[in-house]
Amino acid sequence: METSLKADDGWLTVAGLFWLSKVDTPFGADPTLPIVLPAGSPKAAGIFRMIDGRVQVIPFDGVPLLVNGEPVLNASLLNPDTEGKADMVTLGDLTLYVLKRGDRLGIRMKDRNSALRREFTGRKWFPIDPAYRVDARYTAYAAPEKRKVPTVLEGVVEEHEAIGMVQFALKGETQKLEALAGSRGQLFLVLRDKTAGKQTYGAARFLYAPPPVKGVTLLDFNKAYNPPCAFNPYTTCPLPAKQNILGIAIEAGELKYDH
């Protein structure tokens, strides 16, 4: 997990998030521009243009912009991150791509030389405790339910599918969590407990559970981990639903990042 976080395209390279509010949004190293690139970039690199809910990138003369590794001669229409794999605009060590959250469009910037990556101090975890590895009864909803889930960025929501509830016993009490749809049939749990803001990250932690077999899955809270927003302020992460805020302390999994 740490190797992935520190990778050339990992979350520590995210160096900016810019929401688009006008038809044309210029970008470059000029500090007066709406999207400011790191020092060493062209002073004025190009424009992001919104057209009918889509985003186009237009380079200025002489700026060597690439989209998915190919030079952009005049303009290129970009697929956002919600449509399979986002189209990647690269300029030297920088990567920019279109982010779509609800009806909002933005530009996320990644920088392989970001300070967050250079100064990363490492992930930390509670000692593994088998007591936090429990079987849970899974009850699927009759049909998946669409959820507009708030995130750590005010006014920004993500759309998820809630697919059921897991029920389990921990510390002598029955607990319940709502499960969102994960990849490959997994259950995706966004949760918060009494350690939040003290020993663990205050907003939430994430946990994946394997696909249920005959209505039972395994919750291993030793694998509860921090979302990207625990390490980087330019990321969007879902917050837990009310029923996923537990009244007990789960002293297992990842500790908060104190950098």
Side-chain angles (χ1 to χ4, degrees):
M1 292 182 75
E2 188 162 309
T3 298
S4 175
L5 188 67
K6 295 188 297 184
D8 280 350
D9 60 350
W11 287 111
L12 290 174
T13 65
V14 177
L17 176 60
F18 311 92
W19 297 109
L20 302 177
S21 59
K22 298 180 180 180
V23 173
D24 283 350
T25 304
F27 61 96
D30 185 339
T32 66
L33 294 180
I35 297 179
V36 180
L37 305 184
S41 305
K43 188 173 182 180
I47 290 173
F48 288 108
R49 175 170 291 168
M50 288 199 292
I51 305 173
D52 298 327
R54 307 288 299 222
V55 178
Q56 186 182 53
V57 64
I58 304 170
F60 289 145
D61 289 344
V63 177
L65 289 186
L66 304 177
V67 173
N68 300 329
E70 297 295 327
V72 182
L73 301 180
N74 296 307
S76 181
L77 198 62
L78 304 174
N79 285 328
D81 67 332
T82 52
E83 296 185 13
K85 190 174 182 180
D87 289 325
M88 297 294 170
V89 180
T90 55
L91 178 61
D93 286 332
L94 301 179
T95 301
L96 302 104
Y97 60 95
V98 180
L99 195 73
K100 187 173 183 180
R101 294 295 179 268
D103 58 357
R104 301 180 73 184
L105 291 167
I107 300 297
R108 174 170 278 163
M109 177 173 67
K110 289 188 173 185
D111 180 3
R112 293 203 296 268
N113 296 313
S114 74
L116 290 173
R117 188 186 189 199
R118 292 196 312 268
E119 299 168 6
F120 180 63
T121 59
R123 306 178 80 153
K124 298 177 178 63
W125 304 75
F126 283 102
I128 292 174
D129 185 346
Y132 285 103
R133 183 178 166 91
V134 297
D135 287 330
R137 173 64 58 183
Y138 172 66
T139 303
Y141 293 153
E145 300 178 7
K146 296 289 186 181
R147 294 276 191 270
K148 290 189 177 296
V149 181
T151 71
V152 294
L153 295 182
E154 186 175 355
V156 178
V157 298
E158 295 181 355
E159 293 185 356
H160 290 271
E161 278 192 348
I163 55 175
M165 296 290 295
V166 292
Q167 180 174 311
F168 56 98
L170 195 60
K171 296 190 173 182
E173 298 179 23
T174 298
Q175 309 290 338
K176 291 183 179 181
L177 293 168
E178 182 174 69
L180 304 176
S183 60
R184 302 184 300 278
Q186 295 180 103
L187 308 181
F188 176 43
L189 306 171
V190 181
L191 61 104
R192 186 188 305 158
D193 64 274
K194 287 292 186 180
T195 66
K198 302 168 187 174
Q199 296 156 288
T200 63
Y201 179 53
R205 288 189 289 170
F206 293 171
L207 178 65
Y208 280 93
V213 177
K214 296 182 179 179
V216 177
T217 188
L218 176 68
L219 302 184
D220 189 348
F221 289 99
N222 296 287
K223 296 182 179 181
Y225 68 97
N226 290 337
C229 52
F231 307 99
N232 193 312
Y234 304 115
T235 57
T236 60
C237 299
L239 294 172
K242 184 177 180 180
Q243 60 265 39
N244 285 24
I245 300 175
L246 302 177
I248 60 172
I250 297 182
E251 296 175 312
E254 189 164 13
L255 296 161
K256 67 179 180 179
Y257 183 58
D258 285 324
H259 181 58

